[in-house]
Amino acid sequence: MAKNWYPIIDHDKCIQCYQCVNFCKHDVYTIGDGGYPLVINPLSCVEFCRGCQKICDNDAISYFGDNK
Ligand code: SF4
Ligand code: SF4
Protein backbone atom coordinates (compact mmCIF):
# COMPACT_ATOMS: atom_id res chain seq x y z
CA MET A 1 0.00 0.00 0.00
CA ALA A 2 2.25 2.80 1.19
CA LYS A 3 5.63 2.99 -0.44
CA ASN A 4 6.39 6.36 1.06
CA TRP A 5 4.86 6.14 4.52
CA TYR A 6 5.98 3.95 7.37
CA PRO A 7 6.91 4.35 11.00
CA ILE A 8 10.34 5.18 12.37
CA ILE A 9 11.05 4.31 15.99
CA ASP A 10 13.16 6.63 18.13
CA HIS A 11 15.19 4.26 20.27
CA ASP A 12 16.02 7.05 22.70
CA LYS A 13 12.33 7.44 23.57
CA CYS A 14 11.00 3.89 23.13
CA ILE A 15 10.47 1.93 26.36
CA GLN A 16 9.69 -1.35 24.55
CA CYS A 17 6.10 -1.54 25.75
CA TYR A 18 4.95 -2.97 22.37
CA GLN A 19 1.66 -1.12 22.33
CA CYS A 20 2.42 -0.18 18.73
CA VAL A 21 3.28 -3.75 17.74
CA ASN A 22 0.09 -5.07 19.31
CA PHE A 23 -2.06 -2.28 17.94
CA CYS A 24 -1.18 -2.51 14.25
CA LYS A 25 -3.35 -4.98 12.36
CA HIS A 26 -1.25 -4.87 9.22
CA ASP A 27 1.82 -6.85 10.30
CA VAL A 28 4.11 -3.89 9.76
CA TYR A 29 6.07 -4.59 12.93
CA THR A 30 7.93 -7.37 14.56
CA ILE A 31 10.19 -7.21 17.60
CA GLY A 32 13.77 -6.84 16.48
CA ASP A 33 17.17 -7.53 17.97
CA GLY A 34 17.62 -5.41 21.05
CA GLY A 35 13.90 -5.52 21.79
CA TYR A 36 12.82 -2.50 19.80
CA PRO A 37 9.86 -2.62 17.42
CA LEU A 38 11.20 -3.25 13.95
CA VAL A 39 9.44 -2.29 10.71
CA ILE A 40 9.60 -5.42 8.56
CA ASN A 41 6.70 -4.73 6.19
CA PRO A 42 6.74 -1.04 5.34
CA LEU A 43 4.63 -1.68 2.23
CA SER A 44 1.81 -2.93 4.47
CA CYS A 45 1.62 0.36 6.36
CA VAL A 46 -1.50 2.35 5.50
CA GLU A 47 -0.59 5.68 4.00
CA PHE A 48 -1.21 8.57 6.41
CA CYS A 49 -2.34 6.25 9.21
CA ARG A 50 -1.11 7.54 12.57
CA GLY A 51 -2.60 4.82 14.73
CA CYS A 52 0.60 3.59 16.28
CA GLN A 53 1.89 7.13 16.81
CA LYS A 54 -1.27 8.02 18.71
CA ILE A 55 -1.07 4.95 20.91
CA CYS A 56 2.58 5.47 21.86
CA ASP A 57 2.74 7.21 25.24
CA ASN A 58 6.36 8.19 24.71
CA ASP A 59 6.23 10.11 21.46
CA ALA A 60 8.70 7.65 19.97
CA ILE A 61 7.07 7.21 16.55
CA SER A 62 7.43 9.45 13.54
CA TYR A 63 6.85 8.61 9.88
CA PHE A 64 9.01 8.40 6.85
CA GLY A 65 7.15 10.55 4.37
CA ASP A 66 5.78 12.97 6.93
CA ASN A 67 6.96 16.38 5.87
CA LYS A 68 5.46 18.45 8.61
S1 SF4 B 1 4.36 2.17 21.70
FE1 SF4 B 1 6.10 3.60 21.68
S2 SF4 B 1 7.29 3.11 23.51
FE2 SF4 B 1 5.91 1.38 23.14
S3 SF4 B 1 7.16 -0.06 21.92
FE3 SF4 B 1 6.01 1.24 20.47
S4 SF4 B 1 7.42 2.94 19.99
FE4 SF4 B 1 8.18 1.94 21.84
S1 SF4 C 1 0.78 3.81 10.85
FE1 SF4 C 1 -1.02 2.44 11.01
S2 SF4 C 1 -0.71 0.85 9.48
FE2 SF4 C 1 1.27 1.87 9.79
S3 SF4 C 1 2.33 0.69 11.35
FE3 SF4 C 1 1.22 2.28 12.44
S4 SF4 C 1 -0.80 1.42 12.99
FE4 SF4 C 1 0.17 0.10 11.41
Side-chain angles (χ1 to χ4, degrees), residues 8-60:
I8 298 168
I9 308 298
D10 183 340
H11 289 189
D12 291 334
K13 293 181 179 176
C14 177
I15 60 165
Q16 302 184 351
C17 68
Y18 308 132
Q19 286 193 92
C20 55
V21 179
N22 294 327
F23 175 81
C24 182
K25 305 298 186 226
H26 299 277
D27 295 327
V28 173
Y29 289 112
T30 189
I31 297 171
D33 294 343
Y36 292 101
L38 180 67
V39 175
I40 49 164
N41 289 313
L43 295 182
S44 296
C45 183
V46 178
E47 194 162 19
F48 306 131
C49 175
R50 293 182 183 272
C52 52
Q53 184 182 56
K54 287 178 183 166
I55 212 167
C56 177
D57 292 327
N58 297 284
D59 194 28

